Amino acid sequence: MNLVTEDGLKKIIKNGQAIKNNELRLPQNSMLTPSAKSLLADHKLKLVLVDETPVDKKTDADEAPTDKKTDVMETAAKLAAKKIGKFSLESGGYLDEKPEHMTQIYGNLLVNKDHQRIKLRGEIDLLMGEIMKVQIRAKALEKSDLVTDLHEVFDYIGKLSRAEVLNEPLSTDTILGLNEQEIRAMSHNPKKYFGHQHLFNITYELGEIPILLNSLRAMIRKTEVACYEAFKQADGTVSRGDLMQGYNRLSSIMYIIIFKHLDH
């Protein structure tokens, strides 16, 4: 058995002598490791296993009508073309096992753990965790209305997360019963709707709850930036405008919630 590893295959490809017409010709007793198979697919090479047995040593079975070489070539071609391994890679390769430095981004597609979409999901996890902490504090202070408002925000973030993970469009366009126009109007003119000027200089004197809510708003803004980085295209636009719009609305909603509970 001639076991060909990824490193060994790299040397063979670099040498080039075994490649002809996009076919990689190896001895019939060769077997490729999973990573070597992935590399073969990356280079779009068809594997051909060649019978190197000398003519004078072949048996009567070798002269049978069945064209074994053709069968081997067809099998090798299918092996090179099919999805080899349990997991697929963004590069187009495949792996049988998931490395510790990689994670599934969608289905069986693996990416490195510093992938921008994985970073976005990390920010979402942190944000949702902090929301629950503030809910616990609000419940202790018997602020049931705030607990309810934050629960709706929590659910909305869950919908944003689902849309990202499953590559689905965002399924809702209201938060706290407010549409985009209402959110914009209230967040841009708090004096009209809440009797307060914009909070340009937030200090501890506003009290515990407004400060906690403002921290949540800051985390939402950070998550919004992570969303932009995850879906940014070469021209600066984003491929998921619905998610960007959702996080932008969420930031405005949190600003509105601060004013709702500013004097309570």
Side-chain angles (χ1 to χ4, degrees), residues 191-205:
K191 180 66 175 178
K192 175 181 178 181
Y193 292 94
F194 304 104
H196 288 282
Q197 298 291 347
H198 280 288
L199 301 175
F200 293 118
N201 298 304
I202 296 179
T203 71
Y204 74 95
E205 295 173 333

Side-chain angles (χ1 to χ4, degrees), residues 11 16 19 34 99 149 157 166-167 188 195 203 212 229 237 254 256:
K11 293 177 181 178
I19 300 175
D149 285 349
I157 295 173
L166 299 181
N167 292 325
H188 281 64
T203 71
L212 290 175
E229 292 176 341
T237 60
M254 189 56 64
I256 290 171

